[in-house]
Amino acid sequence: MKLFVCQACGNVLYFENRACERCGHKVAFLPEKETMSAIEPDGAAWKVLAGADESRMLCRNAEYDACNWLTDSGDTTGYCRACRHNGTVPNLSDPAQLAGWRELEVAKHRLFYSLIRWKLPLHTRQDDPEHGLIFNFLADDPQSGEKVMTGHDNGLITIALTETNDIERERRRLEMGEPYRTLLGHFRHEVGHYFWDVLVRDGGKLDECRAVFGDDSADYGQALQRHYAEGPPPDWQQNFVSAYATTHPWEDFAETWAHYLHIVDTLEMASEFGMEVRPKVDRDGELTTRIRFNPYEARDVDAIVNAWLPFTFAMNSVNRAMGMRDLYPFILSPAVVGKLGFIHGLVRDVAKSQLKSEVKPEPKSEPKSEAMAGKA
């Protein structure tokens, strides 16, 4: 995640800002430029100061204070690139459900920031009725007592609204023995399943993925039952980023994908603040790093991991000084780093192919005949 600047006054802006705190300009996110822009009224639309004075519409979900993005040029849906993937939303006439939905949208928009930065394929159900990416945000049914389960099914991601309840989410974290459980973590994990379908299964990478994560043809239902009955193997941290990743290769991929997104997005934020870790007692330099690079453009995963480890050592220590849990309570073993490297290669391959497709070849000039060669 980046820091942004108000085009009207030069003040620093953050991703969730709706207005500049200095000059009062309304601000919104411009997806194709990956930046926040100050905007000014232009009839029914808004003039975008970061977009050569062009006019855009705010996403329809801005009406509910659930989105601060602008729609694409020529858009006919009224929704931004992130909100056009919404399927079912909660009952917005219920203040509690509306508040929960707004929290879900904050996490979802941060997810889409990363997906857009990598130029990953994002097809809606209108684009691809069978496998387009769609989100259903559902509340438990108080009459039937039916509980909503967060999960993924062929492009449909369901997020339980009850996860926005801090007390309930903490209760589930403790029951499942998890060191970390957040809304953003849910989004990043579930979209990992979607991109396994798109980039691995349908992208010709199945054999390569199985060589790293294992045979995904193993019965998923049986694997899930075994995990909840027996728990992870005692030495799981040598090969997996989390205990849940041991369940099945699909979950291993989704967990690793989520951690890759955690790491890259956090390092970009650290880079924006010019963070440097240089402990006075670190004579060998193992805990020293200067985060001065764009992790979205890192050529290999080693550059990312070599910056991440000292940074998290420092931040975990700071959190402990405040009596809080570690910022990143996970171990990146060599095997896990190898899995992160596979994810890194996947997203970089997509980004490179997108860049190549966007570069138009120079038109070839017609060869001149000898008779015409000397003429002006």
Side-chain angles (χ1 to χ4, degrees):
M1 184 57 63
K2 293 187 292 188
L3 295 172
F4 307 95
V5 175
C6 175
Q7 291 79 13
C9 71
N11 189 38
V12 174
L13 300 176
Y14 302 93
F15 187 62
E16 279 85 19
N17 280 154
R18 266 62 169 167
C20 175
E21 296 297 328
R22 177 185 292 172
C23 69
H25 264 79
K26 194 174 183 67
V27 298
F29 187 70
L30 191 59
E32 71 270 26
K33 291 185 179 294
E34 299 170 3
T35 191
M36 295 292 292
S37 176
I39 56 177
E40 297 176 345
D42 185 19
W46 295 87
K47 184 171 70 173
V48 182
L49 273 61
D53 290 336
E54 61 180 313
S55 291
R56 294 290 179 87
M57 300 295 293
L58 281 167
C59 177
R60 289 171 63 180
N61 286 334
E63 175 186 351
Y64 303 98
D65 195 26
C67 181
N68 65 337
W69 286 28
L70 295 159
T71 60
D72 286 345
S73 178
D75 170 77
T76 58
T77 69
Y79 293 102
C80 70
R81 290 191 190 183
C83 291
R84 67 181 60 164
H85 290 271
N86 283 3
T88 303
V89 299
N91 178 8
L92 303 184
S93 65
D94 182 329
Q97 293 196 26
L98 174 60
W101 178 53
R102 286 170 176 160
E103 288 190 46
L104 290 172
E105 288 295 341
V106 169
K108 190 197 75 181
H109 281 72
R110 280 188 170 255
L111 168 71
F112 271 86
Y113 168 86
S114 296
L115 303 183
I116 290 171
R117 290 222 57 189
W118 274 310
K119 303 183 184 298
L120 290 170
L122 293 169
H123 301 297
T124 66
R125 280 293 158 116
Q126 287 69 38
D127 303 325
D128 181 358
E130 297 296 324
H131 195 256
L133 181 61
I134 184 171
F135 293 86
N136 282 351
F137 305 130
L138 305 179
D140 295 342
D141 189 338
Q143 295 182 346
S144 67
E146 183 178 354
K147 302 291 185 180
V148 174
M149 298 296 291
T150 294
H152 167 266
D153 182 17
N154 200 38
L156 169 61
I157 293 177
T158 300
I159 304 290
L161 186 66
T162 189
E163 289 284 348
T164 64
N165 183 307
D166 293 340
I167 297 175
E168 176 63 21
R169 191 171 62 251
E170 179 65 6
R171 184 187 67 79
R172 295 184 182 189
R173 185 190 71 81
L174 293 172
E175 282 185 353
M176 297 183 179
E178 299 171 338
Y180 171 92
R181 188 180 183 94
T182 67
L183 294 179
L184 186 53
H186 283 314
F187 276 96
R188 287 171 171 168
H189 173 95
E190 299 304 339
V191 87
H193 288 301
Y194 172 75
F195 281 109
W196 185 92
D197 292 350
V198 173
L199 302 181
V200 175
R201 184 194 65 192
D202 301 338
K205 301 286 187 179
L206 193 54
D207 289 340
E208 295 177 40
C209 187
R210 285 174 173 170
V212 177
F213 291 93
D215 185 6
D216 56 272
S217 65
D219 187 275
Y220 179 76
Q222 292 180 5
L224 202 61
Q225 290 180 359
R226 183 173 60 252
H227 173 76
Y228 286 121
E230 303 175 6
D235 61 346
W236 66 265
Q237 288 183 321
Q238 296 181 19
N239 296 291
F240 300 92
V241 73
S242 70
Y244 190 60
T246 68
T247 305
H248 187 276
W250 287 341
E251 298 301 343
D252 191 10
F253 181 91
E255 283 286 271
T256 308
W257 174 280
H259 278 257
Y260 181 75
L261 267 62
H262 290 332
I263 292 168
V264 170
D265 199 43
T266 305
L267 280 180
E268 184 185 40
M269 190 82 270
S271 177
E272 289 287 291
F273 277 98
M275 289 191 176
E276 180 177 353
V277 179
R278 191 171 58 182
K280 295 179 180 179
V281 298
D282 181 26
R283 297 177 180 178
D284 298 327
E286 294 181 357
L287 299 179
T288 298
T289 186
R290 295 182 66 198
I291 306 173
R292 298 289 192 274
F293 68 101
N294 182 352
Y296 282 94
E297 298 176 356
R299 292 186 178 182
D300 57 64
V301 77
D302 289 340
I304 293 173
V305 171
N306 290 341
W308 181 247
L309 293 179
F311 173 73
T312 53
F313 292 156
M315 295 307 296
N316 287 348
S317 298
V318 171
N319 275 22
R320 292 171 191 176
M322 287 291 293
M324 299 175 65
R325 291 198 302 269
D326 286 356
L327 174 74
Y328 189 74
F330 302 94
I331 296 173
L332 299 184
S333 67
V336 171
V337 172
K339 293 174 181 180
L340 289 168
F342 180 85
I343 303 293
H344 181 74
L346 274 182
V347 297
R348 273 189 59 83
D349 286 348
V350 173
K352 286 189 291 187
S353 64
Q354 284 290 101
L355 287 173
K356 287 181 180 179
S357 65
E358 292 173 1
V359 176
K360 297 180 180 180
E362 291 292 332
K364 295 182 179 179
S365 57
E366 292 294 328
K368 297 178 181 180
S369 66
E370 290 183 2
M372 294 289 293
K375 292 188 177 181

